[in-house]
Amino acid sequence: MEWAEEPYPVLGDREGLPAGMLMEELAGLWDLLADSLTRMGPGCLWPGALRWHATYGWQVLEVPPLGSGEPPLPDTPGARARDVWAIVHGLVRVAAGRPPRDLGDVFALLDLHAGEFPHGLDAIVRALLVGADPRAVLAAVRTEGEDGEVRVRPAAETAVGSRKAKGDPEMDNEDAFAVVRDIHGAVLLVVCDGVTGEGDGSGARAARAAVEAVRAYFCRDDHQGLTAGVAVADTAVNALTKGASTFLGASVAPSGEVDLALVGDSPAWLVRRLPDGARIAFRLTPDQTVLAEEIRTDPAAQWGGSLLTRHLGGYADEPFTTSVQTVPGDLLVLLSDGAAVPSDTWFGDDLAALASAHPSAPGLAAALVARAENLGGRDNATALIAEILP
């Protein structure tokens, strides 16, 4: 096979598209793909078909379909699925640094390494898989903040979980949360999920000690932000308890910019409106677990999903930090892992559907906790929502 022009580097190659530029460059891909699929017909893509060059941009290496040279009909079985897989394969390979094995591997990587990968990549991949318009999702993900200040309406719900309860109402719920408005007008939201350990209440005490320490710290006029808050929480857990806890914090500035800090596996999500009024959800934080570390290099990894590599109580020295710009209409969603329990569908789809049905912060928080109970109530479920208002 001879190509009409020199092939550019394959997506994911070291000299190819940098992961940090993926979302910026994606806008230029869709028209080129549409042109290729129109000329060659569905089924013309394969993993490796998408290429990128720093000077010339995108390239699509089309493979004529097997047979007489006639393009396949649009309803050729499997043709669209092959094209979609080729696109998803390339995008995830850029972010992960290795090719995905299958769709299960794709969503494991996107979920466990969200935030480390570009924000919104999980929503774009999902749009491709269900036949939605990825351009609309990309435009929504990359929406820029508006001039002026935003208001924050917080709400929270928490519950033990019927199968988690052991008959001690005071200690059964090992989740704790807080909302604080600091002297500069920023709103701090924190969710801590205590580690059960020996079932002696140490997890609940650790989460509560962390939340109270952070609450007091952010009421001071000299606080140094979220990363310093993680250290304050860790110190309190070590000094006052024998337990451990996750930490998920978000600081929403009056401009709508959000700083996030994570220790553990409590997830943060953002829900945003599309131009047609529908909603998308994309995850903002990764999991700091053994499974997350293993699956980065081994697509067959399956163990260690609940074993934390970072937590308050001695292992909080490397928090994950990131930032995201919110706009009026957004819902910033902070959860304990029990409120993000998986179902038969992708959690982002469930979250977007719940946000469409319950568009306010109080309604969505209650719906998420109820969902966790309806799916078995196996863990404490806490949902802390910040509704961004003009």
Side-chain angles (χ1 to χ4, degrees):
M1 176 71 72
E2 293 185 2
W3 304 108
E5 56 183 307
E6 186 69 21
Y8 299 166
V10 177
L11 290 188
D13 281 2
R14 185 168 300 177
E15 68 273 22
L17 177 60
M21 294 177 60
L22 176 58
M23 302 301 275
E24 177 183 350
E25 290 293 312
L26 267 185
L29 174 63
W30 310 120
D31 288 343
L32 182 62
L33 276 174
D35 179 67
S36 295
L37 293 171
T38 298
R39 289 187 294 104
M40 299 302 298
C44 68
L45 303 181
W46 85 103
L50 303 187
R51 309 293 181 100
W52 184 87
H53 188 279
T55 301
Y56 304 108
W58 291 99
Q59 178 188 55
V60 178
L61 298 186
E62 305 150 343
V63 174
L66 298 175
S68 63
E70 293 293 328
L73 298 174
D75 59 353
T76 299
R80 180 187 177 280
R82 292 195 299 274
D83 291 334
V84 169
W85 172 246
I87 300 168
V88 168
H89 184 281
L91 299 184
V92 173
R93 187 178 178 192
V94 171
R98 69 162 175 83
R101 180 175 65 173
D102 51 29
L103 284 179
D105 189 27
V106 164
F107 277 105
L109 286 167
L110 292 173
D111 189 49
L112 296 174
H113 293 282
E116 297 170 349
F117 295 175
H119 290 155
L121 182 60
D122 51 357
I124 289 173
V125 167
R126 184 61 182 171
L128 286 164
L129 292 172
V130 301
D133 184 359
R135 291 171 295 188
V137 175
L138 176 63
V141 169
R142 299 190 65 211
T143 296
E144 296 183 357
E146 303 173 0
D147 292 335
E149 295 187 355
V150 302
R151 294 180 295 124
V152 178
R153 182 192 186 192
E157 289 284 347
T158 188
V160 173
S162 58
R163 295 181 61 181
K164 179 79 170 182
K166 304 298 183 184
D168 185 354
E170 185 179 359
M171 288 297 175
D172 277 346
N173 194 341
E174 296 173 308
D175 293 350
F177 66 89
V179 178
V180 180
R181 188 178 296 273
D182 75 4
I183 194 172
H184 307 294
V187 176
L188 173 80
L189 306 103
V190 176
V191 171
C192 291
D193 182 356
V195 177
T196 299
E198 299 179 359
D200 57 356
S202 59
R205 293 185 183 91
R208 294 171 193 180
V211 163
E212 291 308 312
V214 171
R215 188 198 304 273
Y217 179 66
F218 277 89
C219 286
R220 292 166 39 181
D221 59 8
D222 63 343
H223 75 75
Q224 300 298 309
L226 272 176
T227 301
V230 172
V232 167
D234 188 47
T235 298
V237 170
N238 284 321
L240 302 175
T241 81
K242 297 181 180 179
S245 173
T246 69
F247 178 100
L248 174 62
S251 179
V252 187
S255 65
E257 184 174 3
V258 177
D259 291 328
L260 289 148
L262 167 77
V263 178
D265 62 353
S266 298
W269 289 75
L270 190 69
V271 180
R272 177 165 289 170
R273 287 195 187 99
L274 293 171
D276 63 1
R279 292 179 183 263
I280 60 166
F282 50 97
R283 185 167 166 167
L284 303 174
T285 57
D287 276 3
Q288 293 184 321
T289 62
V290 171
L291 178 59
E293 289 189 351
E294 292 291 322
I295 206 167
R296 192 66 184 258
T297 56
D298 180 10
Q302 296 181 344
W303 72 282
S306 61
L307 297 177
L308 301 178
T309 57
R310 296 288 182 271
H311 58 76
L312 300 180
Y315 295 88
D317 55 326
E318 295 183 23
F320 169 82
T321 60
T322 189
S323 62
V324 63
Q325 179 66 48
T326 60
V327 296
D330 283 352
L331 292 165
L332 178 66
V333 180
L334 277 62
L335 305 170
S336 63
D337 64 340
V341 60
S343 67
D344 294 335
T345 56
W346 178 50
F347 180 75
D349 286 343
D350 292 352
L351 178 56
L354 285 175
S356 296
H358 307 277
S360 68
L364 181 57
L368 282 163
V369 172
R371 172 187 176 275
E373 179 60 33
N374 290 335
L375 289 173
R378 293 179 175 84
D379 199 357
N380 307 305
T382 297
L384 179 55
I385 316 292
E387 186 177 354
I388 310 300
L389 301 172

